[in-house]
Amino acid sequence: MTSISDLMAESLRLLRLKGIETSRQELRLLMACALDIAPDEIYFYDKDLTENQLVKFETFIGQRAEHCPVDKIIGHRGFYKYDFEVNCHVLSPRPDTEILVEEAAKIVRQNNFTKILEFGVGSGCIILSLLADVPSLEGIGTDISEKALETARRNAQRIGVEQRIKLMLLDWFDQDILQKLGCRFDIIVSNPPYIPSGEINLLDREVKDFDPLTALDGGKDGLRDFRKISGLAGQLLKPEGYLLFEGGENQADKIADIAVGHGFNLLKKARDLSGIERCIILKK
Ligand code: GLN
């Protein structure tokens, strides 16, 4: 019988041979899921794998060999302080996005804000993290995908904030979006699709084959949705309200210019852990 550590080492070798970037930590997550235990428990697990567990683990390695990201194989991912359900209907939460949550949480606390709106929630990782951090906050999240909204609803329950969020099926290009959203907000956050259409093909397979295209494709120059959302935000925010965007590499200045053109003031561009200006903070 092969030991768990031999099996993991062999799988890691196999995946690397196929050119799949995989870490030991990822292997541990896949093995823990196959064994139905917490990842840390692997170190103390001294039983042999059952036939079922082995088949499950080998299936996972097969999926990973086809470039499926680990979170989409095991169905969840840690982001910021919480753990979210993830599937093929939502963009996988990225560590790069945590800076947006950190900055938004600071602003919400400092100003005692109570009303937040997120355009394009996907899994819900941004707005739900903020609601979980700040118990006095309530909000609305939109998405154009019913399946994404279902995922976000389950995530709201998973982290216990479902009473304070309304999730709405809305397209920000709808004519009547302002009427549908109705009330005014203290803060609006969004990580809209921002990859230029012509660059989608250059993305890693983990991204282009497994994240929804609607969450990635930002039109010809990648900035289409920042233009639209900046215009809406100006009308939906209270005076002195905040608008926080996530953008792609080298987009921060262009995004800031767009929002400034809609009457916002640029307060700050915050860098992610790789040093990229990822989060653009604007005030009405
Ligand atoms: N950060 C994602 C990527 O680079 C893109 C997400 C988005 O378009 N909002 O793959």
Side-chain angles (χ1 to χ4, degrees), residues 91 94 96-97 191-195 203 207 211 215-218 246-248 278:
L91 187 89
R94 320 282 211 250
D96 299 339
T97 304
N191 172 14
Y194 54 64
I195 310 288
L203 296 170
V207 177
D211 280 324
L216 296 171
D217 190 341
E246 171 174 323
R278 183 66 66 189

Side-chain angles (χ1 to χ4, degrees), residues 207-223:
V207 177
K208 71 175 173 207
D209 292 352
F210 296 94
D211 280 324
L213 185 62
T214 44
L216 296 171
D217 190 341
K220 197 167 172 9
D221 63 358
L223 302 170

Side-chain angles (χ1 to χ4, degrees), residues 35-173:
L35 296 176
D36 200 18
I37 59 174
D40 292 349
E41 291 176 46
I42 285 194
Y43 301 107
F44 311 101
Y45 197 86
D46 54 6
K47 288 182 257 177
D48 287 333
L49 272 77
T50 65
E51 189 58 31
N52 270 349
Q53 289 169 333
L54 185 62
V55 169
K56 216 167 157 189
F57 182 69
E58 283 174 347
T59 307
F60 291 166
I61 297 301
Q63 289 173 292
R64 188 71 196 97
E66 291 301 319
H67 294 263
C68 185
V70 170
D71 59 354
K72 286 186 171 151
I73 299 174
I74 64 174
H76 64 102
R77 175 165 179 154
F79 169 83
Y80 186 59
K81 302 177 195 168
Y82 309 101
D83 192 68
F84 292 91
E85 177 189 328
V86 168
N87 55 48
C88 60
H89 305 294
V90 299
L91 187 89
S92 288
R94 320 282 211 250
D96 299 339
T97 304
E98 291 174 359
I99 184 68
L100 173 67
V101 177
E102 284 167 24
E103 294 289 338
K106 269 192 266 175
I107 292 167
V108 166
R109 286 205 182 95
Q110 276 164 9
N111 296 282
N112 295 317
F113 281 163
T114 57
K115 287 224 170 339
I116 183 167
L117 169 67
E118 180 178 5
F119 280 116
V121 288
S123 67
C125 66
I126 297 175
I127 192 166
L128 298 177
S129 294
L130 290 164
L131 293 179
D133 264 17
V134 186
S136 50
L137 193 63
E138 59 177 27
I140 296 182
T142 78
D143 211 282
I144 46 165
S145 156
E146 184 58 53
K147 293 275 184 206
L149 289 171
E150 285 166 14
T151 310
R153 272 186 203 113
R154 285 192 295 275
N155 277 326
Q157 283 171 353
R158 190 178 171 104
I159 61 171
V161 299
E162 72 276 12
Q163 305 292 340
R164 290 184 283 127
I165 179 112
K166 186 168 165 196
L167 290 159
M168 299 174 73
L169 187 67
L170 282 181
D171 182 342
W172 48 70
F173 287 101

